[in-house]
């Protein structure tokens, strides 16, 4: 039936467009893991914080959320560095994986508390004048916000790629991701890389947050929704793999959108969990992760 | 705080709105009557003297999922306490509200009512926010023989407990709040009635059942269901569902919504350029400020919803309530959350019981409220044996970007507009 | 002598780098075989393949005549193949005795018996005596010096009465006195019938102790023979000096 | 040590056993029910998260499983005496163990951090299932429990004792495993799993076993909780905050210890409930909570018990060394050569 084919295509389009935003959020998450072996449970809260920042800049100063991204990026980068220095660096190496889980969770709570004091708990959304416009091609709806969000995410991911592959800092980061010990031997200051890397991860939340605010209503508690999805994406993609995170984000958002459109929205989130479990059964390290065993 | 519950915190914000009855002067005159012992508590709280303050405990969500609405309920309770104290209190006793936070957690809500009743030995209790917390809380109240006036727990499972001490302070159970829309549609001339219907329902105790109730009525009347979909609370993106609604091209769209999902539905429909002839949203669309700001003021016209209290409510004492509210909290009439009005009504019922019986203890409240109807401004609130109110809501519609009651005739201030104007029209 | 461990055509690549490339190797029963080679020649990777910590991309592993390709470390351990690690991996929060007992091997049925049974303790005591560590028996391993930890790790793998012990740089980071101690223990155990495969950078140590010597370069065996011939072999010189 | 711990345990058990008899008000018993519940669950979590070093964030999935099992069982069976729900708890535990077994088998093949994520995913899967299998669970309408028919004066007693028994079971299992080769294996796994694997420890088996026992205990607590609450709902029963509670209490008191989780629960549950009751309205509640949380993590990363134990030991050592020569077996090892070599920290560098 053409109706269901149409719905399928619409679902795929939606999924891919949304996938860009998730890819952006997850790339920061996976980068932080890769560099520091820290599962950052505060990434969702950072995204929401960035969404609030761009919301405030928009409602108070009338600045378009897309244009303020450079500003919010700088703020979020700074915040990320501070979080790393204050809360994560003091952790002892032994147990740091477990402790950092809890510490970043506490940071998420702290941010949530802060946001609920500053912005209250009512849902906000950044309603620009183009919020409700859409383009129609071949009967498929391309909403302006989503297309913009997708393009923006691509641009941000592209910049991230350039940063990682074309700069000295990027090389240091990649060396640390691959092998922290030899990176240190090669003169990489792992402590500095960790701080800057956490900042970089947080900075990706800036662009993601601006876009998130355009797409969805959010409040200080919204980070719980985000974090489980983000975690699943980075696990699916393979912890520490930016490319894996991008692909996993697309798989996740497309599969849930398709299931939602073609079958029922009730099972869309579930589908994706099933994919995750299946992948882990076959490849415990995720799609693009590498096997690591202790200090072998 | 969980993934599955984006909207639950704003659940019932507008879940049903209650017209507030300021039983104002009626009660003021009786303040001098002699009150006898307060709580019907079996925990042996000492009988307060007739001048001791009347302490009323309530647990509401000030943090967590239900915080927004919880705060609105708190505002309503405290406003009522202020107002009644200005009039000399109840039976000469000043009212003291003891409001504690349940962090939107069922564990904490049980602890709070246990503490209120057995530690702080409050005289009376009011309910929390949301059916989900009302159920465990009402069991605690029942155990100690407390009357349970609750303005915000009208889901089916609340009444399934069959508690005789519980009173839902709204005109009708949540499930039946959409009946007024079905009544109106089915009262139209046959030629004008919709032939096909689509239903998009948020999966929670306060939304989907409303739409399902309307669907049962419509199907019985021969209106064909062309699409029906329940979506989980964490559905952030309603465009897939609205795409299918548009494809089914129904005459009427019935949405069982809370708030954010309602806005998202409308936005998607606007983007899809599909406008049904009739559109009813159980909640979200009855929010006077949020709704137009979220979906664009030009897109609201023609959308219908149900309400018990709303700005410009025809209730005779609504102006007094509004004046008191804005004096205490600032803002304007349109900023008042109906939950505050419903909470306020719970207090008004106490005043009415005291005025009528000259007593204010739990046993008296329970037995009194089960009899007769309580002259409130939304008509008369009355309950069956298990606390279900037997009245009905008002149908309201956005006309010229204003929320206006349109049905039934006794509250109507304008003729319902149909078919719904196109988006932006 | 018979072959205790045989490796045929082992391969392992990381990304595009072939760490072990079509490597074949035999360890004769009763030998102390040295495995040497320049940095990055694949010695440690080969160790990890043999002991089951890494899965080979290809090749065959035989231990005591049986195919053990793909076995996990625990299973190999129970068959008598065990190893030490370069960094002296002991369990720091457990006592020295417990470190020995946990390595002593116990079956499912023994899980609910006390941590250290009388018979566990007497077995451990014998080894501690041999290694002259009786005075630290009840200390947590974290309080031992690095050299003592290396000894402890070595002693622990002996708890299971292994047939083949793989030693990963037993002298690395250890002072000269401790090197002699280590050498003495290896000799004693060798005399008692244990076969050794040793990765070592200390050439004097290798020359004194080992026969034969196997040289690895770029993941391949390039030489195998008595220590006296190693220094003359042109291939080995090339590998070390680089041409 | 054994006598002292026996006395300590005996006093603890006797005091808790006697508490309801002392005529406390209902609210005290109510608070104790939740305290015992969290103590039991935190203690159970400790088996996996503390001893094996696998921080499960999905234990609430089994809490919910227990809650829903009890609820669903009594959709079809009548409650007459009121004690029936307690009698089916072992079945709830068994089901949780059986369900947990394959899950642990898969999830524990991954590293500890991935394990944490997989288990939290499991929690959301369970929650989604509870919402979506509405013909079975009642879905978003929630599930009503039978109303407990106990007389008011002793209403809380059955729940109190049920939670107490689960706590004692949990602590008993912890104690036994600490004293047995299970504990030895778990210690080795936590310290250095690869090394443990290489010395023949039944790594996978012991991990999976401790996970199954742990989730069985949590499921039983969930069953009691649901009956006490008289109502359950997917969002409440499968709530991440429940897992976080277990984890936090365990970390606060000291993970990998017998008393740590119990101490953590006895501090945090009354503290939290009291704070929420007394000052919950404050907007800064969450900030303060997170602040305390962070301070504990940074200042006492190992938890209260181990930190205090360390301090006491150090003080004793100082006292001993100032009074005379230390006992022979406590002296730092100086006999071995090579002690000048720097000691790398931890098992895996």
């Amino acid at each position: 039936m053409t109706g269901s084919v149409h719905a399928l295509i619409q679902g795929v389009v939606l999924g891919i467009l949304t996938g860009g935003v998730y890819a952006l959020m997850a790339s920061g998450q996976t980068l932080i893991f890769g560099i520091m072996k820290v599962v950052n449970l505060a990434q969702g809260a950072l995204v929401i914080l960035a969404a609030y920042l761009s919301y405030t800049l928009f409602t108070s100063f009338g600045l378009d959320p897309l244009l303020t991204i450079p500003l919010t990026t700088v703020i979020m980068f700074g915040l990320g560095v501070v979080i790393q220095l204050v809360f994560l660096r003091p952790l002892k190496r032994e147990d740091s994986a477990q402790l950092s889980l809890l510490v970043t969770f506490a940071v998420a709570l702290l941010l949530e508390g802060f946001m609920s004091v500053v912005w209250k708990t009512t849902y906000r959304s950044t309603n620009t004048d183009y919020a409700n416009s859409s383009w129609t091609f071949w009967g498929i709806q391309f909403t302006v916000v989503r297309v913009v969000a997708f393009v923006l995410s691509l641009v941000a991911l592209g910049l991230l790629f350039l940063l990682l592959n074309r700069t000295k800092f990027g090389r240091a980061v990649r060396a640390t991701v691959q092998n922290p010990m030899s990176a240190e031997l090669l003169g990489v200051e792992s402590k500095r890389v960790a701080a800057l890397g956490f900042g970089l991860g947080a900075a990706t939340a800036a662009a993601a947050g601006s876009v998130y605010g355009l797409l969805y209503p959010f409040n200080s508690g919204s980070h719980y929704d985000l974090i489980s999805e983000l975690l699943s994406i980075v696990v699916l993609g393979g912890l520490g793999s930016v490319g894996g995170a991008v692909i996993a984000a697309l798989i996740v958002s497309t599969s849930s959108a398709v299931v939602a459109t073609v079958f029922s929205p009730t099972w869309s989130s579930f589908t994706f969990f099933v994919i995750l479990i299946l992948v882990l059964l076959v490849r415990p390290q995720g799609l693009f992760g590498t096997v690591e065993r202790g200090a072998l | 705080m969980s993934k599955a519950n984006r909207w639950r915190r704003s659940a019932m914000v507008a879940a049903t709105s209650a017209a507030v009855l300021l039983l104002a002067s009626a009660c003021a005159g009786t303040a001098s009557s002699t009150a006898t012992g307060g709580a019907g508590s079996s925990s042996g709280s000492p009988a307060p003297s007739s001048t001791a303050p009347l302490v009323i405990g309530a647990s509401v969500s000030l943090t967590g999922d239900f915080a927004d609405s919880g705060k609105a309920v708190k505002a309503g309770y405290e406003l009522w306490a202020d107002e009644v104290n200005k009039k000399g209190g109840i039976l000469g006793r000043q009212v003291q509200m003891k409001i504690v936070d349940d962090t939107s957690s069922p564990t904490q809500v049980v602890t709070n009512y246990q503490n209120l009743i057995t530690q702080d030995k409050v005289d009376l209790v009011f309910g929390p926010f949301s059916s989900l917390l009302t159920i465990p809380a009402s069991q605690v109240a029942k155990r100690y023989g407390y009357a349970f006036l609750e303005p915000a727990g009208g889901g089916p499972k609340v009444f399934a407990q069959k508690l005789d001490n519980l009173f839902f302070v709204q005109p009708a159970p949540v499930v039946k709040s959409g009946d007024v829309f079905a009544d109106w549609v089915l009262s139209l001339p046959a030629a004008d009635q919709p032939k096909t219907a689509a239903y998009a329902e948020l999966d929670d105790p306060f939304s989907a059942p409303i739409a399902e109730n309307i669907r049962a009525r419509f199907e019985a009347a021969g209106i064909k269901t062309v699409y029906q979909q329940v979506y989980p609370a964490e559905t952030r993106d309603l465009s897939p569902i609205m795409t299918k609604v548009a494809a089914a091209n129904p005459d009427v769209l019935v949405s069982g919504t809370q708030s954010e999902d309602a806005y998202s539905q409308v936005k998607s429909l606007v983007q899809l350029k599909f406008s049904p002839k009739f559109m009813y949203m159980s909640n979200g669309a009855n929010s006077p400020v949020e709704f137009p700001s979220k979906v664009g003021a030009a897109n609201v016209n023609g959308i219908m919803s149900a309400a018990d209290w709303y700005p410009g409510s025809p209730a005779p004492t609504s102006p007094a309530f509004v004046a008191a509210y804005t004096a205490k909290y600032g803002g304007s009439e349109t900023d008042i959350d109906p939950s505050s009005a419903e909470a306020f009504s719970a207090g008004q019922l106490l005043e009415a019981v005291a005025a009528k019986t000259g007593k204010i203890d739990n046993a008296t409240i329970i037995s009194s409220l089960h009899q007769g109807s309580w002259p409130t401004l939304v008509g008369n609130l009355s309950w069956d044996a298990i606390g279900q109110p037997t009245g009905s809501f008002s149908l309201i519609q956005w006309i010229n970007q204003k929320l206006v009651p349109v049905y039934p005739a006794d509250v109507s201030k304008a003729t319902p507009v149909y078919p719904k104007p196109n988006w932006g029209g | 002598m018979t072959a205790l461990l045989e490796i045929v055509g082992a391969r392992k690549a990381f990304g595009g780098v072939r760490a072990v490339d079509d490597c074949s190797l035999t360890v004769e029963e009763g030998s102390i075989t040295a495995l040497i080679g320049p940095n990055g020649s694949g010695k440690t990777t080969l160790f990890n393949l043999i002991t089951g910590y890494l899965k080979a991309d290809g090749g065959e592993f035989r231990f005591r005549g049986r195919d053990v390709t793909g076995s996990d470390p625990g299973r190999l351990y129970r068959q008598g193949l065990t190893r030490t690690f370069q960094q002296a991996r002991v369990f720091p929060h457990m006592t020295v005795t417990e470190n020995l007992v946990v390595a002593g091997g116990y079956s499912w049925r023994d899980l609910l018996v006390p941590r250290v049974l009388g018979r566990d303790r007497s077995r451990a005591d014998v080894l501690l005596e041999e290694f002259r560590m009786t005075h630290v028996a009840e200390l947590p391993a974290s309080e031992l010096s690095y050299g003592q930890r290396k000894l402890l790790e070595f002693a622990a793998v002996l708890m299971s009465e292994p047939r083949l012990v793989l030693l990963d740089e037993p002298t690395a980071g250890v002072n000269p006195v401790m090197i002699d101690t280590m050498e003495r223990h290896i000799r004693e155990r060798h005399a008692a019938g244990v076969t050794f495969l040793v990765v070592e950078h200390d050439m004097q140590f290798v020359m004194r102790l080992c026969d034969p010597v196997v040289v690895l370069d770029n993941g391949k065996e390039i030489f195998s023979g008595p220590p006296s011939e190693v220094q003359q072999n042109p291939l080995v010189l090339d590998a070390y000096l680089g041409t | 040590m054994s006598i002292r711990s026996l006395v300590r345990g005996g006093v603890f058990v006797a005091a808790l056993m006697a508490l309801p008899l002392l005529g406390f008000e209902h609210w005290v018993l109510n608070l104790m029910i939740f305290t015992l519940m969290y103590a039991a669950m935190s203690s159970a979590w400790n088996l996996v998260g503390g001893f094996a070093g696998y921080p499960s964030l999905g234990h609430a999935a089994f809490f919910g499983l227990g809650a829903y099992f009890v609820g669903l069982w009594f959709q079809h069976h009548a409650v007459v005496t009121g004690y029936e729900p307690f009698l089916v708890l072992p079945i709830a535990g068994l089901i949780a163990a059986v369900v947990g077994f394959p899950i642990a088998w898969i999830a524990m093949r991954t590293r500890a951090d991935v394990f944490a994520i997989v288990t939290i995913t499991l929690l959301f899967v369970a929650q989604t299932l509870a919402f979506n299998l509405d013909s079975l669970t009642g879905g978003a309408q929630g599930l009503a429990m039978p109303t407990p028919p106990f007389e008011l004066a002793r209403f809380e007693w059955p729940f109190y004792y049920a939670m107490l028994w689960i706590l004692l079971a949990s602590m008993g299992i912890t104690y036994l495993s600490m004293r047995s080769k299970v504990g030895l294996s778990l210690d080795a796994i936590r310290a250095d799993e690869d090394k443990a694997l290489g010395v023949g420890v039944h790594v996978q088996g012991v991990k999976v076993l401790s996970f199954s026992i742990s989730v069985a205990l949590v499921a039983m607590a969930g069953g009691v909780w649901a009956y006490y609450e008289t109502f359950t709902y997917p969002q409440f029963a499968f709530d991440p905050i429940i897992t976080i509670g277990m984890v936090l209490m365990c970390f606060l008191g000291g993970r990998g210890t017998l008393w740590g989780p119990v101490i953590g629960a006895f501090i945090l549950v009354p503290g939290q409930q009291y704070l929420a009751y007394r000052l919950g309205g404050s907007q800064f509640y969450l900030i303060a909570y997170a602040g305390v949380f962070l301070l504990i993590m940074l200042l006492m990363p190992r938890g209260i018990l181990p930190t205090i134990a360390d301090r006491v030991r150090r003080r004793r050592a100082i006292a001993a060394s100032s009074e005379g020569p230390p006992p022979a077996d406590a002296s730092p090892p100086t006999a071995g050569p090579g002690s000048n070599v720097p000691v790398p920290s931890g098992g895996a560098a």
Side-chain angles (χ1 to χ4, degrees), chain A residues 22 121 123 134 224-225 261, chain B residues 6 68 236 244 260 271:
Chain A
Y22 278 96
T121 45
Y123 276 89
S134 64
Y224 295 110
D225 300 356
T261 8
Chain B
R6 321 186 23 76
D68 274 353
R236 207 172 296 142
K244 289 191 139 181
E260 296 300 329
Q271 288 166 358

Side-chain angles (χ1 to χ4, degrees), chain A residues 23-94:
Chain A
L24 191 55
M25 292 187 266
S27 64
Q29 173 90 313
T30 206
L31 200 61
I32 288 173
F33 180 84
I35 297 169
M36 302 173 53
K37 303 287 173 270
V38 162
V39 176
N40 178 21
L41 294 181
Q43 186 74 4
L46 290 170
V47 169
I48 300 299
L49 179 63
Y52 272 123
L53 287 179
S54 78
Y55 167 84
T56 303
L57 289 170
F58 174 69
T59 50
S60 306
F61 305 100
L63 299 171
D64 187 279
L66 301 179
L67 298 180
T68 53
I69 286 177
L71 178 61
T72 53
T73 302
V74 171
I75 297 174
M76 296 308 290
F77 178 82
L79 182 66
V81 171
V82 169
I83 290 175
Q84 204 279 337
L85 291 181
V86 175
F87 297 121
L88 292 169
R89 183 166 291 183
L91 296 182
K92 302 237 168 60
R93 268 203 91 104
E94 193 188 354

Side-chain angles (χ1 to χ4, degrees), chain B residues 213-414:
Chain B
N213 213 42
I214 297 175
R215 184 160 75 102
R217 302 261 321 258
F218 278 6
E219 284 179 356
I223 298 173
K224 197 178 153 217
T225 301
V226 290
Y227 179 75
Q228 188 264 346
Q229 180 66 61
V230 175
Y231 53 86
E234 77 266 20
T235 313
R236 207 172 296 142
D237 197 339
L238 284 155
S239 15
I241 295 166
M242 290 302 115
T243 306
K244 289 191 139 181
V245 168
N249 193 20
D251 293 334
V252 54
L253 171 62
V254 176
S255 298
T257 46
Q258 275 306 338
S259 54
E260 296 300 329
D261 59 328
Y263 313 148
S264 178
Q265 283 198 9
V266 174
K267 283 164 90 169
S268 295
L269 287 175
V270 174
Q271 288 166 358
L272 291 162
K273 298 162 186 134
F274 173 75
S275 174
K277 291 199 192 82
F278 300 86
M279 191 166 167
Y280 173 84
M281 310 192 96
S282 65
N283 278 302
N286 48 7
S287 169
V289 179
E290 287 277 287
F291 190 56
S293 89
K294 290 286 170 65
V295 305
N299 295 323
V300 298
N301 284 341
I303 296 177
M304 293 180 153
S305 188
D308 49 7
W309 182 87
Y310 41 88
S313 156
T317 49
S318 179
F321 163 71
V322 171
Y325 186 99
T326 49
K328 184 171 165 71
Y329 300 111
S332 70
E333 184 175 21
T334 49
D335 295 324
I336 302 175
D337 190 315
S339 295
S340 302
E342 288 150 2
F344 196 95
S345 320
Q348 294 303 318
L349 285 167
L350 288 188
E351 286 181 71
V353 169
K356 187 168 174 185
T357 64
K359 290 191 285 184
I360 190 73
D361 61 275
N362 283 296
T364 308
I365 295 168
I366 294 171
S367 63
S368 304
L369 290 180
H370 274 302
Q371 288 159 13
S373 80
W374 292 82
T376 70
L377 299 176
V378 250
N380 296 326
L381 281 189
S382 57
W383 293 270
D384 64 7
I386 56 170
Q388 299 192 84
T390 51
S392 68
F393 281 73
S394 308
L395 185 67
I396 52 174
Q397 186 177 32
W398 287 92
I399 299 174
N400 295 327
Q401 305 188 8
K402 288 223 159 45
L403 210 44
V404 187
V406 293
Y407 190 83
D410 53 343
V411 297
S412 169
K413 285 190 177 167

Side-chain angles (χ1 to χ4, degrees), chain D residues 212-236:
Chain D
S212 296
I213 291 174
S214 170
V215 297
L217 290 163
V218 169
M220 294 202 286
V224 179
W225 173 84
Y227 187 34
Y228 185 61
E229 288 280 331
T230 70
F231 176 72
T232 189
Y233 186 70
Q235 180 196 356
F236 293 159

Side-chain angles (χ1 to χ4, degrees), chain D residues 194-221:
Chain D
D194 283 318
K195 175 69 184 174
L197 189 63
V199 294
V201 174
H202 296 279
V203 170
Q204 185 74 356
V206 173
K207 283 193 299 189
V208 172
L209 181 73
S210 66
F211 187 88
S212 296
I213 291 174
S214 170
V215 297
L217 290 163
V218 169
M220 294 202 286

Side-chain angles (χ1 to χ4, degrees), chain C residues 199-212:
Chain C
V199 163
E200 187 51 72
H201 280 135
D202 181 344
M203 281 308 140
Q204 289 171 348
F205 183 85
V206 168
M207 295 304 153
R208 284 201 302 272
L209 192 67
C210 304
D211 188 15

